[in-house]
Amino acid sequence: MVDFDPQLVADGLVYSSIIVLGSIGLSLVYDIADFPNFAHGDLMAVGAFGALAVHGSLGFPFPVAVVTGMVIGAVVAVLTNRVVFEPMDAGPLELLIASIGVALIYRAALMQRFGTESQSYDVGGQAPIDAAQETLGIAINVRAVAIIAVTLVLVGALHAMLQYTSLGRQMRATSANPSLARVSGIRTDRVVTAMWVIGGALAAAGGVFLGLHTLIRPRMGFDILLVLFAAVILGGIGSVYGAMAGGLVIGMVHELTPAIPVVPTRYNTAIAFVIMILILLVQPSGIAGGKTSA
Amino acid sequence: MSVLEVRDVDSGYGDMQVLHGMSLDLHEEEIVCMVGPNGAGKSTVLKTVFGLLEPWSGTIRLDGEDITGMAPEDLVRRGMAYVPQVDNVFPPLTVEENLRMGGVAREDPGPVIEELYERFPLLDEKRTAKAGSLSGGQQQLLALARALVVEPEVLLIDEPSAGLAPTIVDDVFEDVRKVNELGTAILMIEQNARAGLRISDRGYVLDQGSVEFEGNADTLLEDPKVAELYLGG
Ligand SMILES: Nc1ncnc2c1ncn2[C@@H]1O[C@H](COP(=O)(O)OP(=O)(O)OP(=O)(O)O)[C@@H](O)[C@H]1O
Ligand SMILES: [Mg+2]
């Protein structure tokens, strides 16, 4: 039914990278704070515009701008939690509603500072790589390769951190049983802050990459939010590894839609949801089987 | 001298009061056993002492210092450890990782963890196994070992023998006694009241959130009224 087209796979990997980076933070927040954070997409946009300001206005090299964008994402995430979510000390529904308000505030601030026009990073790298054209027969540019490569590095670093560092183990312990974590002596408030930092930084990186792959717009993150939710739910809510797997699948499906005959390409987001529902029918707790972030 | 002192504590969940003027003492090097019917509030005592529940009134002292309402992560750093009744291991973490979590509050937990492996060879064999894959008895042992990594002065244990096969129950009690012999004062809850009291110095009988009887373990075991009401005749 679906013809194997390496071009679509390449496109899928780029889109998946962006979704994976966004999904991880969404899943972490779901895990530790127990609510779907509707501001997470707009946090991606904050990161994208942060990098734009550092690169475009201040003239720093692009890699520096990406890292700065990630720092901005982390700081904004932590501050939002400290100023809004934590003091509310409320249930999931209240926090969800509040997060919609936070999303609107992020977006309004971006529009006020940067306007509503679409913008792009002035970094080149848009011409297809000849070697890829000749050997694989696909049109892929340096930007796309960089997005995939950096995402792999970030995801690999997160995995190493979770498995082999004390903070990572404390994060997994806190996610498995917060009260036993405190009983063991873990300062869970610090662990929670670390999770917001990681989620915020990765979201910002995803935002920058989305801006690099398409355009930078204040609505960019909000538009991708539903796809992120699909990835997180598919992976198994609250599981980091599930979010990675779910992001990969959803991103792929999203870009492979053109290969399905009859179905118009603009149904790609709908198809992603259909796939999500089909997989959940078979495996109701998601790909990671409802396990925590271990 | 009392290492742990609970005085006139009221506590509960939400609006529901469970403990009514609860008082107890744990002396140095003692094992004290708390017994009583289901729902008497035994676990609530330990949760309140360990900072998981804020007491409504009353005071709790450790080594004479007021620790009322202090957070669990701070109490661990003051020499107290706690093994909860349920969910007392991290299932997705390995045995080794569980023990390391028990050691986050201290410097260089490595040597103590190695000692614990020597004391509990069963855990040594399972170092890389996920805690969730262990049997009930092994998990109980891991939960105890996790609490011991800080080498606590005071150890609170909630029903160490719950859900274990009778053959292992004796082993667990033996382990608890050994921990005590190494100088740790233990406040233990035991559903298996007679067996629990037998390895203890003193006991408290809790009913409906306050102490009904207290005394030497032997005295309680021989008291016909306690036996009839709380030890199943
Ligand atoms: N998390 C909770 N929320 C609300 N009520 C609770 C909670 N935990 C216990 N209770 C209630 O508090 C009372 C005392 O419970 P507690 O667990 O302290 O009893 P227990 O003596 O330890 O009993 P058991 O022998 O069954 O372990 C019971 O009525 C119980 O239903
Ligand atoms: Mg109990």
Side-chain angles (χ1 to χ4, degrees):
Chain A
M1 176 184 92
V2 179
D3 290 323
F4 179 77
D5 183 343
Q7 181 65 51
L8 294 178
V9 174
D11 293 343
L13 281 177
V14 177
Y15 197 66
S16 291
S17 298
I18 294 162
I19 302 300
V20 165
L21 291 175
S23 307
I24 290 171
L26 196 57
S27 182
L28 279 173
V29 173
Y30 218 124
D31 191 18
I32 50 173
D34 203 29
F35 73 99
N37 182 10
F38 274 73
H40 198 73
D42 291 281
L43 186 62
M44 293 175 76
V46 168
F49 278 98
L52 181 70
V54 174
H55 180 61
S57 313
L58 301 177
F60 282 97
F62 193 64
V64 176
V66 176
V67 174
T68 314
M70 290 174 71
V71 172
I72 293 170
V75 171
V76 170
V78 170
L79 282 182
T80 305
N81 181 45
R82 285 279 160 79
V83 175
V84 183
F85 300 134
E86 235 172 46
M88 280 179 66
D89 192 21
L93 187 61
E94 289 86 347
L95 290 167
L96 183 159
I97 305 283
S99 75
I100 295 175
V102 169
L104 293 173
I105 292 170
Y106 287 169
R107 211 175 312 152
L110 290 177
M111 285 176 177
Q112 191 173 6
R113 170 72 182 74
F114 298 97
T116 52
E117 296 287 298
S118 297
Q119 308 192 45
S120 52
Y121 299 112
D122 183 19
V123 283
Q126 278 174 298
I129 301 170
D130 290 340
Q133 190 80 269
E134 282 157 20
T135 55
L136 302 168
I138 55 172
I140 188 164
N141 59 26
V142 175
R143 287 186 178 196
V145 173
I147 289 171
I148 296 170
V150 174
T151 301
L152 280 175
V153 169
L154 289 175
V155 166
L158 177 61
H159 167 70
M161 200 280 265
L162 282 173
Q163 296 301 324
Y164 307 116
T165 69
S166 179
L167 175 62
R169 281 190 286 268
Q170 292 184 36
M171 283 174 62
R172 287 188 289 130
T174 303
S175 137
N177 188 338
S179 126
L180 185 64
R182 296 184 67 196
V183 164
S184 301
I186 295 172
R187 298 215 181 274
T188 51
D189 48 346
R190 292 184 196 168
V191 173
V192 166
T193 301
M195 287 167 137
W196 280 97
V197 165
I198 292 166
L202 293 182
V208 173
F209 293 164
L210 183 59
L212 202 56
H213 187 52
T214 58
L215 288 168
I216 313 161
R217 297 174 297 115
R219 271 187 65 96
M220 63 193 284
F222 183 70
D223 288 343
I224 207 177
L225 186 65
L226 279 182
V227 182
L228 298 186
F229 275 123
V232 167
I233 293 167
L234 177 60
I237 289 173
S239 157
V240 170
Y241 292 107
M244 293 176 188
L248 182 65
V249 172
I250 292 288
M252 275 295 176
V253 169
H254 199 266
E255 295 300 288
L256 288 175
T257 304
I260 308 171
V262 192
V263 181
T265 304
R266 66 190 147 79
Y267 281 92
N268 53 5
T269 302
I271 295 290
F273 273 86
V274 170
I275 299 284
M276 176 194 92
I277 291 165
L278 289 179
I279 295 182
L280 289 180
L281 283 175
V282 182
Q283 176 98 8
S285 49
I287 295 176
K291 289 199 198 86
T292 46
S293 55
Chain B
M1 197 201 113
S2 278
V3 276
L4 183 67
E5 223 182 291
V6 177
R7 284 286 168 276
D8 304 320
V9 164
D10 290 357
S11 180
Y13 305 87
D15 291 340
M16 189 184 77
Q17 184 165 358
V18 172
L19 302 183
H20 302 267
M22 173 74 204
S23 294
L24 66 77
D25 287 272
L26 177 68
H27 302 139
E28 266 171 48
E29 312 205 339
E30 252 188 343
I31 303 187
V32 166
C33 187
M34 226 190 318
V35 301
N38 289 112
K42 305 180 296 295
S43 297
T44 306
V45 172
L46 297 196
K47 285 188 233 171
T48 306
V49 168
F50 212 73
L52 291 171
L53 285 175
E54 179 102 17
W56 299 3
S57 64
T59 44
I60 302 162
R61 289 197 193 83
L62 180 66
D63 288 327
E65 275 183 65
D66 194 342
I67 56 155
T68 317
M70 197 177 271
E73 56 269 33
D74 293 320
L75 291 173
V76 173
R77 288 167 174 82
R78 286 177 170 248
M80 187 146 61
Y82 166 48
V83 184
Q85 181 173 359
V86 290
D87 298 329
N88 52 20
V89 297
F90 300 106
L93 273 61
T94 65
V95 166
E96 171 86 23
E97 289 173 332
N98 267 272
L99 294 177
R100 291 217 204 166
M101 289 306 101
V104 293
R106 68 171 297 158
E107 281 176 22
D108 196 19
V112 185
I113 292 177
E114 287 307 318
E115 266 175 49
L116 286 166
Y117 279 138
E118 271 170 41
R119 254 161 85 194
F120 307 119
L122 227 141
L123 297 180
D124 194 14
E125 289 165 27
K126 300 270 181 182
R127 280 183 196 225
T128 58
K130 292 253 158 74
S133 74
L134 303 182
S135 71
Q138 292 165 341
Q139 290 195 13
Q140 201 63 30
L141 190 63
L142 176 60
L144 177 64
R146 194 224 84 238
L148 294 178
V149 180
V150 285
E151 298 179 288
E153 181 193 8
V154 172
L155 179 62
L156 316 176
I157 315 179
D158 198 341
E159 303 208 9
S161 77
L164 299 187
T167 45
I168 323 175
V169 169
D170 290 337
D171 294 349
V172 171
F173 282 151
E174 186 56 30
D175 292 329
V176 170
R177 238 175 33 76
K178 271 193 221 154
V179 171
N180 174 250
E181 277 165 15
L182 293 172
T184 299
I186 295 176
L187 175 58
M188 172 175 77
I189 295 174
E190 205 23 79
Q191 190 75 226
N192 200 336
R194 280 180 193 280
L197 285 168
R198 237 174 261 132
I199 62 158
S200 300
D201 299 300
R202 290 187 306 117
Y204 289 85
V205 180
L206 222 70
D207 202 352
Q208 301 194 25
S210 46
V211 174
E212 289 294 315
F213 294 93
E214 63 174 287
N216 287 329
D218 297 339
T219 319
L220 287 177
L221 278 167
E222 281 158 22
D223 188 321
K225 225 167 140 194
V226 172
E228 188 199 322
L229 288 171
Y230 299 105
L231 305 178

